[in-house]
Amino acid sequence: MEIQFPGLDQLSEVYADLDRQVSGFKRRAGIECLRRCTYCCATAKFVEASIFEMLPLSLHLWQEGRAEALWKNLEGIHPEEPCVLLQANPPEGLSGGCSYYRFRPLVCRLFGFAATLDKHGNPRVGICRPLKEMDKHMSDRIDERVRGGLPVPLMPDFSRRVAFLHPHFGQEKYPINLALREALEIVGRRIHFLNSKRRDR
Ligand code: SF4
């Protein structure tokens, strides 16, 4: 059954553009996530997504037959619980711990390798704590290179581009587990509706 939500094709295009920019930035800046690090995923109270961003994964989970069980697991979950998609002990060979990396939302693609703008409009790259602890001058060095012209993806630009793809489900951000639960429910209701329409024919 083909379920459509407006904006999802464009969302893939925005993600492809962002992933290209992030790869270019990482290569030129010479930075990379630490091997098997899960720090940014484990600090879930800072991981927020819109319902719209969680729709691609929700559609996939319903197709896989795993949505209902996950939806029940998410019932009553505290907003600050770590993301349910995080594998605490990622297998060898994975660079992080995301069990659905291909479907991760915007913030998970931006974190650590994108810039916000300070009050003077200058880009400041949000280097993660584990990298900063490894090299305390890294942030200043990279910000200086960005001021000197090193291209970096800008968080506000990508946030705006994604939010406007779906004015209803794309504007509000929620803790990631809540956004996922809502998205699973919305897709589930849509499937139920289409199935009952088909039965009535
Ligand atoms: S969706 Fe994946 S990358 Fe994002 S917080 Fe959850 S586990 Fe981490």
Side-chain angles (χ1 to χ4, degrees):
M1 179 188 326
E2 185 65 13
I3 302 197
Q4 307 271 353
F5 286 92
L8 289 186
D9 288 343
Q10 293 92 326
L11 180 65
S12 302
E13 287 163 21
V14 174
Y15 282 167
D17 180 24
L18 172 60
D19 293 347
R20 261 193 310 274
Q21 291 192 34
V22 167
S23 306
F25 172 71
K26 287 194 320 195
R27 196 180 58 252
R28 292 188 196 101
I31 53 171
E32 189 48 90
C33 289
L34 299 179
R35 202 165 152 270
R36 301 181 74 204
C37 178
T38 57
Y39 176 84
C40 57
C41 306
T43 52
K45 59 184 154 182
F46 304 117
V47 182
E48 291 193 328
S50 66
I51 293 168
F52 175 61
E53 292 162 41
M54 302 314 285
L55 287 176
L57 174 61
S58 300
L59 288 163
H60 178 75
L61 289 166
W62 277 105
Q63 268 161 13
E64 270 195 334
R66 304 187 60 193
E68 258 181 286
L70 184 57
W71 182 80
K72 280 187 188 130
N73 279 348
L74 286 164
E75 196 172 16
I77 196 163
H78 192 278
E80 292 185 7
E81 284 287 306
C83 177
V84 290
L85 305 175
L86 173 64
Q87 302 184 64
N89 296 303
E92 275 297 330
L94 272 193
S95 52
C98 184
S99 42
Y100 285 95
Y101 191 74
R102 183 159 69 94
F103 295 99
R104 70 203 187 285
L106 181 67
V107 66
C108 308
R109 294 165 194 266
L110 287 167
F111 193 79
F113 306 110
T116 51
L117 296 175
D118 69 15
K119 59 180 180 191
H120 305 293
N122 298 316
R124 312 268 315 177
V125 180
I127 302 291
C128 69
R129 187 185 290 182
L131 284 183
K132 276 194 222 163
E133 282 172 359
M134 212 177 65
D135 175 353
K136 63 179 179 355
H137 301 297
M138 183 183 281
S139 267
D140 291 342
R141 211 170 47 238
I142 290 178
D143 280 340
E144 201 178 313
R145 286 194 58 196
V146 168
R147 282 196 294 278
L150 174 69
V152 63
L154 291 175
M155 288 190 197
D157 285 358
F158 278 96
S159 293
R160 250 192 314 273
R161 281 172 70 181
V162 168
F164 282 108
L165 292 177
H166 200 298
H168 187 55
F169 293 141
Q171 302 283 327
E172 286 285 324
K173 299 270 188 183
Y174 304 89
I176 189 162
N177 292 320
L178 303 192
L180 177 57
R181 190 166 194 276
E182 280 296 309
L184 285 168
E185 193 170 326
I186 286 161
V187 175
R189 267 195 256 123
R190 184 75 65 92
I191 291 171
H192 181 73
F193 174 72
L194 289 176
N195 282 342
S196 48
K197 247 175 80 179
R198 189 167 298 162
R199 276 197 301 273
D200 292 346
R201 267 192 214 136

